[in-house]
Amino acid sequence: MAIHRYCCVPFLLASLFIPFVCAEIRFTEIRHDNRPIIPFDEFGFTHTGHLELNVSKIRLSNPNPDLDMSKVGFFLCTRDAWMQVLLQLEDGYIDCALNSDFVKLVFEFKSLKGKSSFNTVKKENNADQYTLVFANCLNKVTVSMNVRSAMYNLDGKGKSRDYLSAGRTILPRVYFLFALVYFTLAGIWIYVLYIKRDTVFMIHFFMLAVVILKAINLLCEAEDMSYIKRTGSAHGWDVLFYIFSFLKGVMLFTLIVLIGTGWSFLKPYLQDKEKKVLMIVIPLQVIANVAQIVIDETGPFGHDWMVWKQVFLLVDVVCCCAVLFPIVWSIKNLREAAKTDGKAAVNLMKLTLFRQYYIVVICYIYFTRVVVYALVTITSYKYLWTSVVAGEFATLAFYVFTGYKFKPEPHNPYFMIDDDEEEAAAEQLRLEDEFEL
Ligand SMILES: *[C@@H]1O[C@H](CO)[C@@H](O)[C@H](O)[C@H]1NC(C)=O
């Protein structure tokens, strides 16, 4: 088998450029931090963009009043502008990012005039994607403060706030539509199970559960995001979303493994090594979900954010690779069986099915992990939702393929195959063997 060689590498590459676009009102406690640059959230502004910044309990490790406080402060900066700033710093043209003309100053600490807190609102009419950044260009001075930042756009009439970044503001609707699609699929599946109730296996109910969980998960995500859109905070819906994400993740990976082993179609039990795959994948999914929650809730300014991001990616890659093994084993077993039990045609049909499934699982993993991240990086911030839609379509295609190919069917292909076909199949298997050796 040559197909299982191109598996893991692209996932690792993807980890290098995953942008973060968070949007909620964010509270951050900075304690004795000596980082010269602390990035906060990134947000896509329309031409009615606003940043509201409330900072309190500001304390510098060196309270000397002679310090140049114009070297400490907050600014907004686009990614392109940031490249220019870095060049300027490198050339020695400026000695602090705050002094560059490429950044949009929000607040300099010299305006504090001895106070330990400030509130400010900055309007931004140039539509673009900005990151809120804190710069501290004083050497050996650490900063402590509590930061509350809220970025939002005003809606068409200029009345209500939209806390979702410009490219994500239609996502609640997108998730809701996909949820409807999955509920419809679940309905169709129930109908199919009812019509073909004589040939239904356990695995078909499992598939139904996965589809329903996926639908509920999307519904929670839609509600979570529309709540954030209106209020800037998550309020409970995120907990439901995380619970269903977790259940869906575990069930989906389990399902891929179970189908891959041929459990309940080909055999009623699992081999030890197949059980081991499940025992690896399920706990790893728990870790992946914990990491995902930490990543979402802390934002990119946390010290450990990158660590959790890497944990998540590593675990995800391991899970994705692990689920491929049972399929490969099944393919191998079917090939062996085809040689020995004299039912080449039936085995060839199953073999083809499992090979297709293997390819489709790889495509699904590749598309949802790599292509979607690549799309996120190359599309403009305004069209960020397109990568979500692409990922959801890929997922939908995977669900539909799996459902269609493994639907309950009367298992009597034995009667439909005549001797010619049997011979042709045996010949094909023999040729494949020669080709391989
Ligand atoms: C933050 O600052 C803005 C602008 O001064 C003010 O309107 C708002 O009430 C402040 N919010 C909090 C929570 O202090």
Side-chain angles (χ1 to χ4, degrees):
M1 298 289 314
I3 32 181
H4 61 264
R5 286 190 202 121
Y6 49 87
C7 163
C8 292
V9 184
F11 305 127
L12 297 171
L13 296 179
S15 68
L16 299 175
F17 40 82
I18 295 168
F20 30 82
V21 182
C22 315
E24 296 129 79
I25 298 173
R26 186 85 72 175
F27 298 92
T28 322
E29 295 194 352
I30 304 280
R31 291 287 169 264
H32 309 293
D33 205 313
N34 63 357
R35 280 179 287 176
I37 293 287
I38 306 178
F40 286 78
D41 286 327
E42 193 172 35
F43 192 75
F45 286 119
T46 65
H47 57 276
T48 56
H50 285 71
L51 161 68
E52 194 178 284
L53 191 62
N54 311 75
V55 183
S56 57
K57 298 197 177 142
I58 301 170
R59 197 146 288 135
L60 301 187
S61 63
N62 178 353
N64 184 346
D66 298 334
L67 286 175
D68 181 4
M69 295 300 264
S70 67
K71 288 188 172 178
V72 187
F74 286 91
F75 63 86
L76 287 173
C77 190
T78 65
R79 285 183 198 198
D80 291 342
W82 185 241
M83 292 300 148
Q84 303 296 331
V85 174
L86 288 180
L87 280 179
Q88 285 185 325
L89 284 169
E90 208 164 280
D91 295 346
Y93 181 70
I94 50 170
D95 61 352
C96 184
L98 279 165
N99 301 338
S100 169
D101 349 317
F102 288 106
V103 307
K104 309 215 169 199
L105 214 55
V106 177
F107 191 85
E108 277 182 323
F109 275 28
K110 76 174 176 208
S111 324
L112 272 178
K113 301 201 173 76
K115 284 187 295 177
S116 67
S117 65
F118 70 88
N119 296 316
T120 183
V121 175
K122 182 172 172 61
K123 285 185 191 161
E124 184 50 68
N125 301 326
N126 285 332
D128 209 331
Q129 178 163 254
Y130 293 90
T131 307
L132 175 65
V133 182
F134 175 75
N136 168 13
C137 303
L138 297 174
N139 265 334
K140 294 178 191 149
V141 175
T142 65
V143 181
S144 301
M145 59 187 169
N146 293 348
V147 180
R148 173 190 180 276
S149 66
M151 291 190 263
Y152 55 88
N153 297 308
L154 293 180
D155 74 354
K157 297 181 200 85
K159 295 226 174 69
S160 59
R161 297 174 176 190
D162 180 346
Y163 286 95
L164 286 184
S165 181
R168 310 207 322 156
T169 185
I170 67 161
L171 280 186
R173 257 177 281 169
V174 168
Y175 285 128
F176 185 71
L177 283 179
F178 273 103
L180 288 186
V181 170
Y182 280 97
F183 278 121
T184 313
L185 280 187
I188 294 173
W189 193 245
I190 290 172
Y191 178 72
V192 169
L193 294 193
Y194 178 73
I195 295 287
K196 308 219 174 142
R197 54 190 173 280
D198 297 337
T199 52
V200 164
F201 289 98
M202 272 304 282
I203 194 110
H204 295 122
F205 292 107
F206 205 94
M207 288 156 101
L208 177 63
V210 171
V211 174
I212 291 178
L213 278 175
K214 173 76 184 168
I216 297 177
N217 188 39
L218 281 167
L219 202 60
C220 289
E221 183 145 29
E223 188 48 44
D224 180 30
M225 287 201 83
S226 85
Y227 199 88
I228 291 174
K229 181 180 159 103
R230 282 176 280 132
T231 64
S233 56
H235 255 290
W237 281 101
D238 55 338
V239 178
L240 268 185
F241 166 68
Y242 288 132
I243 291 172
F244 282 105
S245 276
F246 168 68
L247 290 177
K248 186 209 72 186
V250 169
M251 294 281 274
L252 179 62
F253 275 104
T254 309
L255 180 65
I256 295 176
V257 171
L258 288 181
I259 292 182
T261 59
W263 175 77
S264 106
F265 293 87
L266 302 184
K267 58 188 187 199
Y269 57 87
L270 288 180
Q271 287 172 330
D272 274 349
K273 60 180 177 181
E274 293 164 345
K275 282 186 196 148
K276 276 191 194 118
V277 171
L278 278 179
M279 284 182 326
I280 293 169
V281 168
I282 292 175
L284 283 183
Q285 276 297 305
V286 177
I287 299 174
N289 279 275
V290 171
Q292 185 64 59
I293 293 171
V294 175
I295 292 163
D296 286 354
E297 298 296 305
T298 60
F301 43 77
H303 276 293
D304 303 330
W305 189 82
M306 211 54 214
V307 176
W308 281 103
K309 195 94 213 181
Q310 280 157 354
V311 167
F312 174 76
L313 273 152
L314 181 72
V315 169
D316 199 39
V317 168
V318 173
C319 282
C320 289
C321 294
V323 297
L324 296 177
F325 282 106
I327 313 178
V328 174
W329 292 331
S330 289
I331 291 174
K332 229 171 122 192
N333 286 342
L334 284 169
R335 290 176 58 82
E336 300 292 313
K339 278 182 232 153
T340 51
D341 74 359
K343 290 178 194 147
V346 175
N347 280 309
L348 188 65
M349 273 168 58
K350 290 181 190 162
L351 197 56
T352 311
L353 177 62
F354 273 79
R355 281 178 180 165
Q356 283 175 349
Y357 187 61
Y358 182 82
I359 304 269
V360 168
V361 170
I362 288 192
C363 290
Y364 164 70
I365 292 172
Y366 187 79
F367 200 91
T368 50
R369 305 305 196 270
V370 180
V371 177
V372 167
Y373 285 136
L375 272 179
V376 170
T377 45
I378 60 171
T379 48
S380 155
Y381 73 99
K382 277 180 272 182
Y383 305 110
L384 214 69
W385 57 272
T386 54
S387 54
V388 174
V389 170
E392 289 298 336
F393 266 120
T395 310
L396 182 63
F398 177 69
Y399 278 65
V400 169
F401 173 88
T402 308
Y404 181 73
K405 284 290 182 180
F406 294 91
K407 64 183 182 294
E409 250 173 339
H411 273 262
N412 54 356
Y414 304 87
F415 302 126
M416 296 182 292
I417 291 162
D418 56 32
D419 286 348
D420 289 349
E421 284 177 49
E422 180 66 29
E423 263 171 41
E427 176 68 11
Q428 185 181 337
L429 284 167
R430 201 178 53 74
L431 280 176
E432 278 184 24
D433 271 355
E434 275 176 14
F435 183 68
E436 202 150 279
L437 301 171

